[in-house]
Amino acid sequence: MKLAELIKMMGGASQFVKRGQRIAVKPNLLLAAEQEKAATTHSSLLTATGKIFGKVAGSIVLAESPGSGYAYDKKTLEKTYKVCGMQDAAETSGIELNYDTSFETVSFPEGKLVKRFEIITPILRCDSYINLCKLKTHGLMIMTGGVKNIFGVIPGRSKPGYHSTMTTQELFAGMLLDLVALVPPKLTIMDAVVGMEGDGPFNGTPRHIGLLIASTDPLSLDIVASEMMGIPAEKNPLLVEAKKRNLHPAGIEDVEIIGVPLEQIFLPGFKLPASFTAENKRVLGSLLKPLVKNSFTVDPRIIKSICTACGTCKKACPRDAIVINKVAIIDKKKCIRCYCCHEMCQYNAIELHKSLLYKLVN
Ligand code: SF4
Ligand code: SF4
């Protein structure tokens, strides 16, 4: 379905943007990757968003800080915009590209887990923003969609700090829910035209899905995407945490879907990340024998023949667990298995290695 039809179905652009307002669009620009990788929001969605909402808004700015391995600076933004097709899309649609790399620390006493966040300025200065996320798998959070995409409003090198303190899926999910409560998007549109399965969010496999999904509530959208991907709600860390907080909707039964029925958009055989199965095996391990509990693991492992020693993984690592000595070397004792290094390696030189016990029972 084309974006114009989707927005019309939801009541039109003026439902979300008042005439003359300054709005921001927040795509997923994990890193400077060609669009064929399906790691970033496709530029055609940015173009269409700019054309549709530009008829109402006074101005639209693209606001995003790429992943944790990259500084939030002009050089990173220029490269990322160019490689991801955003430069051309912005020119075609009249969207401004943001180069203001300032950010502010915002106090959030209502946060259940996090009481202050660092937020990039264009998100704080706009009247509202539209969240343009991508349907992908994710090593730590199993999937990334509407809610996880909002982590990109935190400046690049501040991100490892959040990973460092939110070391479990549960904590990270709680942090994300606080962040969304602080800066809720007006509208979330998911690029599920070509999504990513397997070991996402960067080194997975593109999968053609052919859908655009939109909601005023990113959590509702993620509940639907999770169902499509075949992730049981009780195994999706974000949805588990949302349920613990009694957030609405509590589950798929509370989400009203219009357009295409859910049964028609399931993705049969959708490949989830290795970490998803590992998490379940760990539960099995804890039941079997405490001694083998830590053997049901998926660890990041450097492929020495591919590693270029670029150092991006080292910058992304929240635990200082990586040194560069001709190639990257991971200190397993320090590693908390957040998979940020895997996410940030643009050379695909980090594999998610399954332990022997994991393989035996899998
Ligand atoms: S593993 Fe990847 S990100 Fe890390 S130094 Fe090697 S090539 Fe760079
Ligand atoms: S080495 Fe471990 S702690 Fe560091 S980024 Fe990779 S997975 Fe995370």
Side-chain angles (χ1 to χ4, degrees):
M1 178 185 288
K2 290 177 189 155
L3 184 64
E5 290 173 46
L6 183 60
I7 300 302
K8 194 174 169 196
M9 197 186 276
M10 296 178 81
S14 56
Q15 286 291 314
F16 309 102
V17 178
K18 290 195 177 68
R19 191 153 294 282
Q21 278 187 331
R22 178 162 179 80
I23 65 166
V25 285
K26 197 283 172 211
N28 180 329
L29 300 181
L30 176 65
L31 53 82
E34 284 74 24
Q35 311 220 38
E36 304 74 66
K37 282 282 295 178
T40 53
T41 302
H42 200 276
S43 60
S44 57
L45 181 57
L46 188 89
T47 307
T49 304
K51 286 185 175 170
I52 293 166
F53 290 91
K55 289 178 185 152
V56 186
S59 59
I60 307 179
V61 62
L62 187 159
E64 161 74 325
S65 170
S68 54
Y70 298 92
Y72 180 51
D73 59 19
K74 190 164 182 254
K75 197 172 149 208
T76 299
L77 291 178
E78 275 174 350
K79 184 175 176 195
T80 310
Y81 293 154
K82 190 165 184 219
V83 178
C84 297
M86 297 293 139
Q87 212 166 27
D88 292 343
E91 272 168 30
T92 314
S93 62
I95 290 177
E96 292 167 32
L97 294 173
N98 172 58
Y99 291 103
D100 171 6
T101 55
S102 62
F103 56 89
E104 289 175 26
T105 302
V106 182
S107 165
F108 188 48
E110 300 85 355
K112 289 202 166 25
L113 188 65
V114 181
K115 306 287 183 191
R116 70 176 57 173
F117 283 98
E118 287 169 337
I119 307 284
I120 58 174
T121 305
I123 289 291
L124 297 174
R125 296 283 172 271
C126 65
D127 291 307
S128 65
Y129 78 98
I130 299 174
N131 181 22
L132 300 177
C133 62
K134 184 98 178 163
L135 183 148
K136 292 188 292 178
T137 48
H138 191 274
L140 178 64
M141 299 306 290
I142 312 304
M143 65 164 279
T144 167
V147 172
K148 171 70 180 61
N149 193 44
I150 295 168
F151 192 51
V153 305
I154 291 174
R157 292 276 166 77
S158 297
K159 290 176 185 170
Y162 291 85
H163 277 286
S164 180
T165 43
M166 313 296 152
T167 52
T168 63
Q169 290 177 323
E170 185 183 2
L171 289 171
F172 203 77
M175 180 274 294
L176 289 175
L177 291 170
D178 281 344
L179 179 60
V180 174
L182 173 64
V183 282
K186 194 75 177 172
L187 176 68
T188 296
I189 305 168
M190 175 177 267
D191 170 6
V193 178
V194 180
M196 181 180 283
E197 62 181 349
D199 285 326
F202 181 70
N203 286 309
T205 310
R207 172 158 171 167
H208 183 266
I209 299 167
L211 277 179
L212 288 175
I213 312 169
S215 175
T216 50
D217 173 35
L219 179 62
S220 301
L221 195 152
D222 285 353
I223 289 172
V224 172
S226 183
E227 287 284 323
M228 287 169 57
M229 296 161 96
I231 307 168
E234 68 280 8
K235 306 267 188 213
N236 183 324
L238 180 76
L239 306 191
V240 170
E241 191 56 28
K243 199 162 190 176
K244 270 194 221 157
R245 293 184 177 200
N246 291 319
L247 296 180
H248 186 82
I252 190 72
E253 58 287 349
D254 295 332
V255 181
E256 185 193 1
I257 300 172
I258 55 171
V260 188
L262 183 62
E263 312 79 72
Q264 288 181 21
I265 53 175
F266 287 137
L267 302 170
F270 192 85
K271 291 191 192 74
L272 297 176
S275 51
F276 173 75
T277 325
E279 201 45 48
N280 293 325
K281 299 294 180 211
R282 253 200 293 282
V283 175
L284 176 63
S286 65
L287 293 173
L288 283 174
K289 197 175 177 186
L291 281 176
V292 298
K293 187 179 170 187
N294 286 329
S295 300
F296 292 93
T297 57
V298 172
D299 294 309
R301 188 173 281 191
I302 307 295
I303 306 170
K304 291 181 186 162
S305 56
I306 303 178
C307 177
T308 64
C310 71
T312 305
C313 57
K314 180 177 163 58
K315 288 173 193 155
C317 178
R319 282 301 166 102
D320 212 9
I322 300 177
V323 292
I324 306 291
N325 184 3
K326 293 188 184 152
V327 292
I329 299 163
I330 296 174
D331 182 340
K332 276 183 81 171
K333 286 193 190 124
K334 288 185 180 174
C335 177
I336 54 170
R337 298 189 193 104
C338 67
Y339 309 124
C340 289
C341 52
H342 174 259
E343 185 174 329
M344 284 290 106
C345 179
Q346 60 182 305
Y347 301 101
N348 210 353
I350 302 180
E351 62 177 343
L352 296 183
H353 180 79
K354 298 166 183 141
S355 66
L356 184 61
L357 196 51
Y358 173 102
K359 285 180 185 162
L360 285 174
V361 296
N362 202 13

